[in-house]
């Protein structure tokens, strides 16, 4: 065996060992959400960004279509309330704010077109901590909007996963 073959074999072993460890522990990349419905309508009063994120998650992460009219849908996702908040997390030695905690709380319920409850009134809650500096206020505002956008997208996917879990096991619908 030449040194080149040994080097390639060693490199292959170094690359394959972590990957096989991940596979052995059950890690896998999230795929599409499996929903046993054809058409979903989003009702209630979600903010326009949350509605857009829900629609994008449905259209890209499932094989389901989004209906404008709830009468045309197999499933109705009603967002009953959405609360965005920001609370002070820490102060610096000068008494100025140095960190915030951003929160989004979404209340929703899901039912079929006959009124049968799929997911009872539920709440999803997400927080992110954010450092703050008085010298970079504009950059901090941009960062805050980016955090809120990512949080809403994550909540949209979590809502779909909750619907999928409830639809697969109808007897265990208490969340």
């Amino acid at each position: 065996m030449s040194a080149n073959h040994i080097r390639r074999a060693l490199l292959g072993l170094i690359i394959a060992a972590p990957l096989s460890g991940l596979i052995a522990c059950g890690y896998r990349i999230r795929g599409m959400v499996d929903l046993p419905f054809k058409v979903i309508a989003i009702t209630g009063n979600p903010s326009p960004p949350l509605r857009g994120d829900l629609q994008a998650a449905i259209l890209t992460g499932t094989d389901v279509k989004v209906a404008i009219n709830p009468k045309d849908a197999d499933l109705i996702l009603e967002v009953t309330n959405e609360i965005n908040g920001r609370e002070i997390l820490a102060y610096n030695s000068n008494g100025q704010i140095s960190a915030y905690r951003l929160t989004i709380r979404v209340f929703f319920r899901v039912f079929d077109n006959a009124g049968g409850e799929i997911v009872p009134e539920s709440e999803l809650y997400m927080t992110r901590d954010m450092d703050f500096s008085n010298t970079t206020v504009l950059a901090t505002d941009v960062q805050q909007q980016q955090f809120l956008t990512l949080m809403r997208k994550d909540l949209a996917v979590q809502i779909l996963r909750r619907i999928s879990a409830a639809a697969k096991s109808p007897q265990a619908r208490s969340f």
Side-chain angles (χ1 to χ4, degrees), residues 72-92:
D72 300 333
D74 300 340
L75 186 74
I76 298 162
L77 167 60
E78 181 182 12
V79 178
T80 56
N81 200 1
E82 175 188 357
I83 302 169
N84 295 336
R86 181 175 80 169
E87 61 188 70
I88 297 170
L89 192 60
Y91 293 96
N92 63 16

Side-chain angles (χ1 to χ4, degrees), residues 12-90:
L13 182 65
I14 290 172
I15 291 173
L19 291 177
S20 63
L22 285 175
I23 292 169
C25 76
Y27 175 81
R28 66 179 177 91
I29 296 175
R30 287 186 181 176
M32 292 183 67
V33 177
D34 183 31
L35 293 175
F37 304 99
K38 301 284 184 218
V39 183
I40 294 178
I42 302 169
T43 63
N45 56 354
S47 66
L50 180 63
R51 180 181 294 276
D53 290 335
L54 283 167
Q55 288 176 344
I58 291 168
L59 294 174
T60 59
T62 68
D63 293 331
V64 179
K65 304 223 182 294
V66 177
I68 296 172
N69 188 352
K71 294 178 183 176
D72 300 333
D74 300 340
L75 186 74
I76 298 162
L77 167 60
E78 181 182 12
V79 178
T80 56
N81 200 1
E82 175 188 357
I83 302 169
N84 295 336
R86 181 175 80 169
E87 61 188 70
I88 297 170
L89 192 60

Side-chain angles (χ1 to χ4, degrees), residues 85-86 100-103 126-128 130 144 147-148 151:
R86 181 175 80 169
Y100 283 108
R101 174 166 288 150
L102 304 174
T103 60
M126 185 168 288
T127 64
R128 292 283 189 268
M130 182 182 88
Q144 177 180 337
F147 278 161
L148 290 173
M151 290 165 66

Side-chain angles (χ1 to χ4, degrees), residues 139-159:
T140 304
D141 288 343
V142 170
Q143 183 183 24
Q144 177 180 337
Q145 291 307 314
Q146 289 173 342
F147 278 161
L148 290 173
T149 299
L150 291 172
M151 290 165 66
R152 274 193 306 271
K153 286 181 181 184
D154 195 24
L155 282 171
V157 172
Q158 287 183 30
I159 288 171

